[in-house]
Amino acid sequence: VQLQASGGGLVQTGGSLKHSCAASEIGFSLDVMGWYRQAPGKERELVARSSADGIIYYADFAEGRFTLSRDVEKNTISLQMISLKPEDTAVYYCNARKIILGSGYNYWGQGTQVTVSS
C-alpha cells in the first residue's frame, strides 16, 4: 500500500491548514488510518486515527482543534487543523494499517512539513 499525502505549509499562529492522504488501493481494505507527527528532536507521536468502523481518537493536544475525516471506501483521510500553535510545528505523516492473514502491517506516507510561526 502506498500513501500519497499533500498539504502542510507555513502559517502564523492561529492559522489553519489541511492535510490530505490517499491510499493506492480502494475498497474497504484498510483497518486504521491516521496521522502522526514528529517535531525536531522528538519522537513521532499520534495525532488522530480512525478505525474502519468510524471511531476516531484524538490526542489531547489535537482535541477541539483538529478534525479527521475518512472515506473508508476510497481509503482517503484528511486532517483539518485550526488555531495552530508554534508547538504544532512538525512533519506530519499519514499512516495506514492493513490486516493481512491476521497480522497488522503499517504503511507511511512521505511526510509533510507544517511550520507555525509566532
Side-chain angles (χ1 to χ4, degrees):
V1 179
Q2 295 182 335
L3 301 175
Q4 182 65 47
S6 62
L10 172 64
V11 294
Q12 294 183 335
T13 297
S16 302
L17 284 173
K18 184 176 181 178
H19 295 276
S20 298
C21 178
S24 57
E25 59 184 58
I26 62 173
F28 306 98
S29 64
L30 299 177
D31 179 25
V32 178
M33 292 189 77
W35 293 93
Y36 286 72
R37 73 183 187 182
Q38 188 166 19
K42 295 186 178 181
E43 295 186 352
R44 191 172 297 189
E45 62 180 349
L46 174 67
V47 177
R49 64 170 181 252
S50 172
S51 62
D53 57 4
I55 297 174
I56 299 176
Y57 168 84
Y58 292 98
D60 287 344
F61 63 81
E63 191 74 52
R65 298 189 300 127
F66 296 0
T67 302
L68 185 151
S69 300
R70 179 179 178 181
D71 187 317
V72 179
E73 182 176 5
K74 295 180 179 179
N75 285 335
T76 60
I77 57 170
S78 64
L79 183 71
Q80 178 68 52
M81 307 185 296
I82 65 171
S83 302
L84 285 164
K85 306 173 183 179
E87 50 264 44
D88 295 317
T89 295
V91 177
Y92 285 69
Y93 296 91
C94 177
N95 169 264
R97 186 176 74 187
K98 183 174 183 177
I99 305 299
I100 303 174
L101 299 178
S103 296
Y105 295 86
N106 275 299
Y107 302 90
W108 296 93
Q110 77 274 26
T112 53
Q113 177 71 46
V114 170
T115 302
V116 184
S117 63
S118 58

